[in-house]
Amino acid sequence: MPRRSQSRSPSKRETTTTIASSVRLDPTYLSAGASRLSAGALWHAATGQYVYVSGTQLLAAHGNNNDVNYPLVVDASASLTGHAMTVRAVADVGDGRRIVSAAADGSVRVWDLTRELGGLDSGNIDPRCDAVLTLPPPAGQPVSSATAATLRPTWVCVTAATASETGRSWIVAGETLGRVAVWSVPTAAAGGKWTLVQSWTLPRSATALALSWIPGHSGQQGALVLAIGAADRLVHLRILDPTSLQFEPSLSLSGHDNWPTSLSFSPVSESHVLADPATMAAAGLRTGHVLLASASMDKFIRVWRLSIESLSDSAASGGGSDRAEDVDRALADMMAAVQQDGQLSTKAHVVSLPGSASSNDQRRLHVYLDSVLLGHDDWVHSVAWTPADNATSSAPPTALRLASASADKSVLIWHLERTSDDDDDSTSKTQAAAAAAWTPAARVGEVGGSVLSMHCVVWRPDSRAVAATGYSGAVHIWAEDHDNEDADNSKHRRWQPLPGLSGHTRAVVDATWDPTGRVLFTTSKDQTTRVWARPLLSSPTAPTMQRQRWAEWARPQIHGYDLVALAFADMYTLVSAAEEKIARVFVMPRSFARAMAAAGVAPAGTWADDRIGSVEAANLPALGLSNKAVVAAAGAAEDDQAPRASTAAHGGEYLDRQSYVPPTAAIDVGPHQRPLEEHLLQDTLWPEIDKLYGHGHECVAVAAAPYLGVATSARATAADATAVRVYRPDLAWHEAPPGLIGAHALTVTKIVPYLETLLDGGDAVRPWVVTTGRDRTWAVWCKSEQTENGSDWTLGGVVEKAHARVIWDAAWGPGARWVATASRDKSVKVWTTTMATATKVDIAHAATLSVGSAATAVAVLPLTPQLSLLAIGTEAGAVLVYLGDQATWRPVAEARGARGHTGAVSALAWRRVPGDQHSKVELASVAADGGVRVYNVQV
């Protein structure tokens, strides 16, 4: 094939050099849904960062207690990456710097949150990764390439603690085969190496872990206790021998009827006692006691009380022991609460500690059941105690409370409450011990929507808010309302929901900016389509920094099939395709236009009401897949036909056949007020106005253009099934056969119409469409007069076997002068396209860019008619940016590792920020890791 000349004028080379030297790719936003894990998040007290698990990576969000609209903001440039498989648990090491994560890839990684990422961009070595810990194979089992994967541990839980009394930090991890491993490092050794000090195998897999230091009483030495929840329904306790540094088995606590899912220790601190001395005394709790909460799939939470006593303490008391010790004895002898199986469950356990000095002064660990809590209607996934405060700090004392998250979609806040007055003259010590009980002070959670459960709950370091991960990938936040508290009963304050974090929970497969360039639409295999926006308009009611923050503002579609593609037919009409044989057409409701104007995303009137009609919002009926229109109250009040007439312009006969939902209160956010997750799940849907039928197999791609209509492709294994079907809105969304057929032998993977840009020099729009296929072929289609077969599309040019592997994506250059194609053969090729006749295009290969990994997405931003930015997404998760035109290209920026994705990039989309006087450019990327990223591109 003839090649275009690679010679360029000096002025063009100078332009390239000047721009290339100033191109920079800065991450400004990152969103990814939280994984559904019982131990998938923590709120780091020392740094104030909320860290949660999202697939194979950890995301860190900075907290702002004074910002009710953005209490958490994810650091877009500092995700913690390195695990090759799904992360299963995360824990705080407790030294003020480090956290630890355990993954299914067999590694346990230690991260230092105080380190800066710096200029790292290669992703090979993350300076924040302090250590990578692995467990050797069992003795006598040699590892070969064939058995390595089988013997590699799949970690399911992890815990860590720094016990200053032992002078060491500890990490304990459990895996599916029942193995438990313990690593340790001296706390005084800066940069010390973590050492595997012990490992053993349980009869059943570990399901939850917790570590805590149990202080000694009356100056006695304490002990480090490890609690292990296992699939045998027991909670096993092990105590550290300070001499051998081995955790010795001590006892197993029974009572749960199903797997323990979460364990949480809390020492009773002086702050807890000072917050409510009377209630703590009534419960018999004092400084030095430690509480262990165990959650289970049996719907119960069991609270165990641990303390260390010695024989000398009892002998010295001479029967005159203090009240707390008498309460301990009373509770040990008290009859247990009757559970579902009718068995007695309270039993005092007294265990001798390893390393006791002498038999005359033998220390003992006292363990007994304090309470059994029943308040949830389904599995309890996680429990968390309020952080232990320092009584010498300036912060007011905080009461001891427990939060629990359950599959019943709720989070319960438990607190101790006295059930009777403590009268020493008439009440016995045994009655006084029973005069305080754990009761739920508040119940918060999700209501309605496609919600199944709440998962990991943690407290904010100041104990005034809780955060919980939900089934939809959101991080929910509820804060105590201290402004309107009841002075007579401060324990029953209101809990206010705050906008948290949200994100896709599965692979994001497509992304596009709306025709105005103001909001980003993404669609995912988690069966949702989401809208992301950053308010840019000035307003006296919103601080500048708040206006610059990205967030999710709507969820137009919540489907029952995995979504695969989306496109805009016009400013008001969205088309999406899923793994089903039809595509669906949605229209923008009035509530969305109002919300975007109120939020400062778009000026009022950007979307005209007369074009939207009376469609106010949408509802998704139970057991349905189609969003039903909610019409304006004025239109619905007259008769049943009124709303149908007002929306006929969009849906025509299809809308006339729909059953209308009565008007309800659609979500109307206040000025710069973000919607909550509950609102996103139910109140921001777009009504469906039509379905596009015709394909015999599941849809793969969808595209739209004014001269094209809507085009869709489906899976195909033969040439006669590869037709790209075209639907015309001016024909009431009926198909205009035969579509685009005759170029491919296998599935058409992408449909890319050429859209006129501002840099086309005023030339007429070329109605050309590119299609790419799994058969390694790509083709150009030209719109023409109707041909003999009734089609108005002609095959203008085709390149067979253009790549060595499947072609995933394509993008047009400015003026439709060239096309870039991205392939699994680890290359992007640039092809010149020259108009030969009105229906014929000459195609020639101009350049090949090797990117080191399968190229999965490509997008072009014209800077001048002869100069463009070419963005390439790879299977390794990198985003690469090249500068050039046709045959001459040079790399100018990249984002990989912590600034890129951990999964294959699915789609890229450029935009020029509307109304920005400096012509600000942004690049959106989505990937298989569930991530949505936005980069600020400085040119």
Side-chain angles (χ1 to χ4, degrees):
M1 292 184 180
R3 292 178 59 91
R4 189 178 182 89
S5 173
Q6 298 185 18
S7 62
R8 307 188 62 171
S9 64
S11 61
K12 292 181 180 179
R13 284 198 298 268
E14 291 172 2
T15 302
T16 302
T17 303
T18 303
I19 296 180
S21 62
S22 60
V23 173
R24 196 171 70 189
L25 205 60
D26 295 329
T28 58
Y29 182 67
L30 168 61
S31 169
S35 298
R36 299 162 189 161
L37 301 169
S38 296
L42 61 88
W43 211 319
H44 198 250
T47 63
Q49 296 182 68
Y50 177 83
V51 181
Y52 67 96
V53 177
S54 179
T56 61
Q57 62 183 334
L58 304 178
L59 270 62
H62 297 283
N64 186 347
N65 299 353
N66 299 320
D67 193 337
V68 296
N69 247 346
Y70 296 87
L72 288 176
V73 178
V74 173
D75 188 347
S77 62
S79 60
L80 303 175
T81 61
H83 286 292
M85 298 178 67
T86 305
V87 179
R88 305 296 297 273
V90 64
D92 187 358
V93 175
D95 60 356
R97 298 186 299 113
R98 293 175 291 193
I99 64 172
V100 58
S101 59
D105 61 4
S107 70
V108 174
R109 289 179 176 258
V110 184
W111 309 91
D112 190 337
L113 295 182
T114 63
R115 294 181 184 173
E116 296 293 335
L117 182 62
L120 173 74
D121 214 24
S122 65
N124 296 326
I125 301 176
D126 192 328
R128 297 163 301 171
C129 184
D130 194 64
V132 179
L133 311 178
T134 57
L135 184 64
Q141 296 189 18
V143 179
S144 65
S145 58
T147 62
T150 304
L151 298 177
R152 181 179 59 203
T154 301
W155 303 111
V156 293
C157 51
V158 69
T159 188
T162 296
S164 58
E165 295 83 357
T166 66
R168 306 183 71 87
S169 296
W170 303 84
I171 293 175
V172 184
E175 54 101 21
T176 53
L177 298 179
R179 285 184 290 177
V180 178
V182 180
W183 292 269
S184 180
V185 65
T187 54
K193 183 178 181 181
W194 290 87
T195 305
L196 179 66
V197 296
Q198 187 181 6
S199 65
W200 67 90
T201 302
L202 296 171
R204 301 289 297 275
S205 171
T207 58
L209 294 167
L211 265 174
S212 180
W213 177 259
I214 313 296
H217 183 48
S218 301
Q220 296 293 326
Q221 184 181 359
L224 186 63
V225 175
L226 170 65
I228 307 172
D232 57 8
R233 302 181 296 179
L234 301 175
V235 177
H236 304 276
L237 297 184
R238 285 182 170 242
I239 306 174
L240 179 70
D241 186 334
T243 304
S244 63
L245 296 182
Q246 301 287 294
F247 282 92
E248 302 294 341
S250 58
L251 61 100
S252 298
L253 304 176
S254 61
H256 284 299
D257 293 333
N258 211 325
W259 290 7
T261 55
S262 178
L263 299 171
S264 179
F265 277 110
S266 176
V268 178
S269 66
E270 185 177 351
S271 176
H272 293 149
V273 176
L274 292 175
D276 194 349
T279 301
M280 298 295 282
L285 290 172
R286 59 168 170 81
T287 304
H289 284 169
V290 174
L291 297 180
L292 169 63
S294 60
S296 171
M297 293 180 180
D298 63 7
K299 308 178 188 177
F300 288 96
I301 301 170
R302 301 173 78 87
V303 179
W304 310 85
R305 188 181 303 191
L306 293 81
S307 62
I308 291 180
E309 313 292 344
S310 67
L311 291 177
S312 61
D313 291 336
S314 300
S317 64
S321 59
D322 62 24
R323 180 182 177 199
E325 292 172 344
D326 288 339
V327 169
D328 288 351
R329 296 190 185 93
L331 284 177
D333 298 332
M334 191 173 61
M335 180 179 293
V338 177
Q339 295 215 11
Q340 293 178 350
D341 56 3
Q343 296 179 356
L344 301 180
S345 58
T346 297
K347 177 182 178 181
H349 302 275
V350 181
V351 181
S352 297
L353 301 181
S356 296
S358 66
S359 59
N360 294 329
D361 190 22
Q362 186 178 26
R363 293 172 298 136
R364 295 180 178 180
L365 175 66
H366 293 243
V367 183
Y368 52 84
L369 181 64
D370 181 273
S371 303
V372 178
L373 312 183
L374 175 59
H376 289 291
D377 300 325
D378 211 329
W379 294 357
V380 184
H381 283 146
S382 68
V383 286
W385 295 100
T386 49
D389 294 348
N390 184 357
T392 62
S393 67
S394 59
T398 57
L400 181 62
R401 290 179 291 181
L402 178 70
S404 58
S406 168
D408 65 5
K409 303 187 291 187
S410 72
V411 172
L412 284 179
I413 309 298
W414 304 83
H415 73 122
L416 273 173
E417 186 170 6
R418 282 181 291 168
T419 58
S420 63
D421 293 333
D422 185 8
D423 187 351
D424 289 337
D425 296 332
S426 59
T427 305
S428 68
K429 290 183 172 62
T430 300
Q431 290 174 323
W438 290 98
T439 59
R443 180 188 292 268
V444 296
E446 292 180 339
V447 179
S450 54
V451 181
L452 294 181
S453 60
M454 304 296 289
H455 292 271
C456 180
V457 62
V458 296
W459 287 87
R460 199 169 67 187
D462 64 359
S463 301
R464 295 192 172 191
V466 294
T469 58
Y471 185 86
S472 62
V475 176
H476 303 257
I477 304 175
W478 297 273
E480 239 178 339
D481 188 356
H482 286 262
D483 296 332
N484 300 315
E485 68 181 53
D486 183 355
D488 297 329
N489 192 0
S490 60
K491 290 184 178 180
H492 294 279
R493 299 185 180 103
R494 294 183 59 187
W495 287 78
Q496 300 289 346
L498 300 178
L501 304 174
S502 63
H504 290 288
T505 57
R506 295 181 61 194
V508 189
V509 292
D510 203 1
T512 184
W513 297 97
D514 82 302
T516 70
R518 297 185 181 275
V519 291
L520 175 67
F521 284 70
T522 61
T523 195
S524 165
K525 290 190 175 182
D526 67 2
Q527 304 178 356
T528 65
T529 296
R530 308 191 185 212
V531 176
W532 316 88
R534 177 166 58 101
L536 294 172
L537 303 181
S538 60
S539 170
T541 62
T544 302
M545 289 303 295
Q546 180 173 314
R547 297 199 308 269
Q548 299 299 317
R549 290 174 179 163
W550 286 89
E552 182 183 359
W553 288 90
R555 208 165 292 175
Q557 184 180 13
I558 300 176
H559 202 38
Y561 291 93
D562 294 358
L563 295 165
V564 296
L566 78 166
F568 271 92
D570 56 43
M571 283 181 58
Y572 305 88
T573 309
L574 176 70
V575 182
S576 74
E579 291 186 351
E580 54 181 344
K581 300 176 183 179
I582 61 174
R584 297 173 186 265
V585 184
F586 301 86
V587 66
M588 178 188 298
R590 283 184 171 185
S591 58
F592 178 82
R594 286 199 304 269
M596 293 297 96
V601 173
T606 300
W607 296 281
D609 286 345
D610 58 345
R611 290 289 308 275
I612 299 176
S614 62
V615 178
E616 188 68 23
N619 281 343
L620 181 62
L623 304 180
L625 292 178
S626 300
N627 298 345
K628 302 296 184 180
V630 176
V631 297
E638 299 178 5
D639 57 74
D640 188 49
Q641 299 297 323
R644 302 182 185 183
S646 62
T647 56
H650 289 290
E653 179 185 356
Y654 177 82
L655 270 186
D656 288 341
R657 299 195 303 268
Q658 300 305 299
S659 58
Y660 279 80
V661 179
T664 60
I667 176 65
D668 279 326
V669 300
H672 298 269
Q673 176 185 349
R674 288 176 54 201
L676 301 172
E677 177 69 11
E678 290 79 4
H679 296 152
L680 293 172
L681 286 167
Q682 302 176 87
D683 301 324
T684 60
L685 294 171
W686 286 25
E688 180 182 319
I689 63 170
D690 218 322
K691 295 181 176 69
L692 308 182
Y693 296 91
H695 288 294
H697 300 280
E698 291 81 2
C699 293
V700 171
V702 62
Y707 57 83
L708 173 65
V710 174
T712 61
S713 67
R715 294 177 183 172
T717 57
D720 56 359
T722 61
V724 173
R725 298 181 180 272
V726 178
Y727 304 86
R728 298 275 297 277
D730 57 335
L731 300 178
W733 295 107
H734 291 164
E735 184 180 358
L740 282 59
I741 187 171
H744 297 279
L746 294 174
T747 302
V748 174
T749 57
K750 208 72 173 181
I751 308 167
V752 187
Y754 171 71
L755 300 176
E756 183 180 18
T757 68
L758 297 177
L759 296 173
D760 282 346
D763 293 340
V765 175
R766 293 185 180 179
W768 290 357
V769 175
V770 163
T771 57
T772 65
R774 297 188 67 95
D775 57 358
R776 302 174 291 167
T777 296
W778 73 275
V780 178
W781 302 83
C782 303
K783 190 176 180 63
S784 62
E785 299 295 332
Q786 197 173 68
T787 58
E788 295 180 358
N789 63 359
S791 174
D792 52 2
W793 287 94
T794 301
L795 181 60
V798 60
V799 181
E800 297 180 352
K801 298 182 180 180
H803 287 268
R805 305 290 295 274
V806 56
I807 304 175
W808 289 123
D809 199 2
W812 283 102
R817 296 184 299 108
W818 52 269
V819 173
T821 55
S823 170
R824 194 175 180 181
D825 64 4
K826 304 181 181 181
S827 72
V828 170
K829 292 187 178 182
V830 180
W831 313 80
T832 59
T833 52
T834 305
M835 179 184 294
T837 65
T839 58
K840 291 297 180 182
V841 178
D842 291 336
I843 302 173
H845 176 256
T848 298
L849 307 177
S850 298
V851 294
S853 179
T856 52
V858 65
V860 174
L861 175 72
L863 300 178
T864 70
Q866 287 79 35
L867 195 64
S868 301
L869 287 176
L870 175 65
I872 302 171
T874 72
E875 191 175 41
V879 177
L880 313 176
V881 178
Y882 287 76
L883 180 71
D885 183 67
Q886 295 187 353
T888 304
W889 296 93
R890 58 176 298 177
V892 291
E894 66 177 25
R896 60 174 81 235
R899 293 188 173 96
H901 292 278
T902 59
V905 177
S906 305
L908 297 166
W910 292 97
R911 79 153 176 174
R912 295 184 180 275
V913 179
D916 189 273
Q917 59 181 350
H918 302 293
S919 300
K920 189 174 183 179
V921 172
E922 290 181 330
L923 173 65
S925 68
V926 298
D929 60 2
V932 176
R933 282 185 173 271
V934 179
Y935 298 92
N936 177 30
V937 183
Q938 298 186 15
V939 180

